[in-house]
Amino acid sequence: MGSKRARLLPPLIVTAAFLLLWQAAVWLFGTDAYILPSPSAIAKQAYDSAPQLAHHMWGTLRITLIGFGAGALLGFLIAALLHVIPWVKSGFYPLLVLSQNVPIMAIGPLLVLWFGFGMLPRVILIALVTFFPVAVAMMTGLSKSDGRLFEYMRMIGASPSRLFWRLELPGAMPHLFSGLKIAASYSVISAIYAEAIGSDSGLGYFILIAQHGFETVKVFAAIAVIVLLSLALFGVIALAERLFVRGGSPRGKEGSRS
Amino acid sequence: MSSVLEVRHLSKRFAGSRKTPAKEVLADVSFQVGEGEFVTLIGPSGSGKTTLFRMIGGLELPTEGDISIDGANAVGTRGHIAYMPQQASLMPWLTVSANIELSLTIAGIGKREARALARDWLARVGLEATAHQYPDVLSGGMQQRVSFLRALLSPQKLMCLDEPFSALDALTRQHMQAWLLSLWESNRRSVLFVTHSIEEALLLSDRILVLSAAPASIIREVRVPFPRPRSEALWGDAEFIRLKQELYDMLRPDPTL
């Protein structure tokens, strides 16, 4: 437990120092709050608008989770499908990469145009952004299963489905989780963007309104909530990783010996 | 004696490509493994033993010849052998017990029965403390014990052991040989064993087949005369030393080359 606390200490000190420096700079140069508010002013604003922020945070959290869940599931299924049927991989892989080259700035308003102002276009947008890192990480993991284990399983007569479920998929779990972590961060950012273009709630919408009123303090308060939200999501996934990826993963410290 | 494995006139050539010349790996290899018999293949490295195993396992097709396991044609079909590879090959994300259970269920044993078998046998060989541990905390020798147990418990009639001790240090290797010997002698299965070690072959086998360098063919068959149960005491036996020298002479690289 003691060592865990010791590991938390450096980032805490750096963050605290950063905030102090910021506070001092704003106070020293007398910067106007609408240009750059001080951390203490942001904290006070967050406290004052807590009910409002909480309301919008729930909206953001809801579509983030739905979009992230749908995107992760989609990425997982695509990776599995592309892995199991090789010609599908060669055919569809370029299309997958292509899907990430379409700027979401362009696709966002189009989705609203096609699917209206409901939740659907926002969820689609988030899923579109999040499925990719999951699919790519997962495909890498599936194709990198241990050759010796693969040979062993084939020698004792394991069927292709057994090979997938008992060897390739568990072997890909560390990769899958790296993909999920990246996707989690993307999903919050894309949720904010989606709320700014076609919504009447959520932190994205809140920021948009605050910006129109030059209420920079509110913008920063919302940013703080978004950062905490991202961290929480990341933490949940890291926790799930620790629960699901057991034993020595191939990248584990023991594995490096051989 | 009914034979569990029968290999008839097996040959394997790998077709060449622009960069690699065609290679003949096995040339007309015939032998059989009887019920409850321990047969060892010994030969210089690169003599096609791995290819032979892959063909028996059904992963590779012979160019010519037949393989039958337990009376049925086994060319190109998988799942007829219990297998112990050179490296323990345990799934790092499964506990020792779960690893054994996985192999048994792949071989067609029900989940509950596989679990009972794994627990029962781990206890029987004194490994019950490792049942819930992950393989990476076990030593190389312990991992190979689990790997052997996994093959021993598999229901297939033929066990194929591919240089199972070659990655272990000399002392661990000797312990493992004695361990395997005692376990096998009390649970006779049909075994096809591959090794580079002459002592290992003499200690464990009923018969030794000596392979030539590539393309491999069987140049000699040695029936090991020692009665069972055997022990490491054999190493000092005069006949043991004579056979060892004889095999060593056969395996010596051709001085004219």
Side-chain angles (χ1 to χ4, degrees), chain B residues 225-227 231-244:
Chain B
F226 311 112
S231 76
E232 300 101 310
L234 269 183
W235 285 333
D237 189 281
E239 177 69 2
F240 187 92
I241 294 166
R242 194 190 63 74
L243 277 172
K244 185 173 134 185

Side-chain angles (χ1 to χ4, degrees), chain B residues 67-257:
Chain B
I67 301 166
S68 64
I69 296 172
D70 206 15
N73 181 23
V75 172
T77 59
R78 302 190 292 124
H80 299 301
I81 58 166
Y83 178 58
M84 178 179 182
Q86 219 169 84
Q87 308 276 340
S89 303
L90 302 168
M91 310 285 154
W93 52 83
L94 293 179
T95 61
V96 164
S97 180
N99 260 295
I100 297 176
E101 288 161 33
L102 172 63
S103 295
L104 299 190
T105 46
I106 287 172
I109 293 181
K111 267 201 178 108
R112 197 170 305 164
E113 198 191 340
R115 168 161 306 187
L117 264 173
R119 293 292 148 85
D120 182 27
W121 276 82
L122 280 169
R124 215 185 283 197
V125 300
L127 288 172
E128 67 265 59
T130 66
H132 298 289
Q133 287 176 332
Y134 289 97
D136 59 359
V137 303
L138 303 186
S139 66
M142 291 283 246
Q143 289 187 15
Q144 281 298 32
R145 278 172 209 240
V146 175
S147 177
F148 177 71
L149 200 55
R150 184 166 72 165
L152 187 72
L153 297 184
S154 293
Q156 293 93 340
K157 277 199 151 179
L158 178 69
M159 277 172 82
C160 292
L161 279 54
D162 185 5
E163 298 183 39
F165 307 140
S166 59
L168 302 175
D169 63 86
L171 197 62
T172 311
R173 185 173 190 150
Q174 288 187 7
H175 291 154
M176 284 297 294
Q177 288 165 4
W179 182 81
L180 186 145
L181 185 65
S182 68
L183 209 55
W184 181 80
E185 281 180 342
S186 49
N187 307 276
R188 298 276 285 236
R189 293 275 300 276
S190 308
V191 171
L192 181 62
F193 189 84
V194 164
T195 185
H196 287 300
S197 159
I198 296 170
E199 283 104 330
E200 196 167 283
L202 283 169
L203 180 67
L204 299 172
S205 334
D206 294 316
R207 275 190 299 136
I208 299 173
L209 306 171
V210 182
L211 289 173
S212 66
S217 54
I218 293 170
I219 49 174
R220 186 69 196 277
E221 178 183 329
V222 177
R223 199 165 282 279
V224 183
F226 311 112
R228 294 183 188 274
R230 297 177 187 164
S231 76
E232 300 101 310
L234 269 183
W235 285 333
D237 189 281
E239 177 69 2
F240 187 92
I241 294 166
R242 194 190 63 74
L243 277 172
K244 185 173 134 185
Q245 189 60 47
E246 194 185 319
L247 282 166
Y248 179 75
D249 289 339
M250 262 185 272
L251 288 166
R252 198 155 31 194
D254 193 338
T256 58
L257 287 177

Side-chain angles (χ1 to χ4, degrees), chain A residues 148 151-152 154-155 158 170 248, chain B residues 54 78 92-93 103 136 150:
Chain A
R148 281 187 292 114
E151 176 87 1
Y152 169 74
R154 302 226 318 136
M155 279 295 268
Chain B
R54 287 178 59 101
R78 302 190 292 124
W93 52 83
S103 295
D136 59 359
R150 184 166 72 165

Side-chain angles (χ1 to χ4, degrees), chain A residues 2 9-10 47 49 56 100 103 110 114 117 139 172 179 189 191 209 215 217 226 239 249:
Chain A
L9 213 54
Y47 183 76
S49 351
H56 290 296
Q100 298 306 299
L110 280 177
W114 296 337
F117 281 88
M139 267 189 286
I189 301 298
I209 299 301
E215 294 177 287
V217 191
I226 290 164
L239 198 72
S249 67

Side-chain angles (χ1 to χ4, degrees), chain A residues 204-220:
Chain A
Y205 172 76
F206 181 87
I207 289 176
L208 196 71
I209 299 301
Q211 246 157 4
H212 283 314
F214 291 100
E215 294 177 287
T216 312
V217 191
K218 278 192 178 175
V219 173
F220 273 96

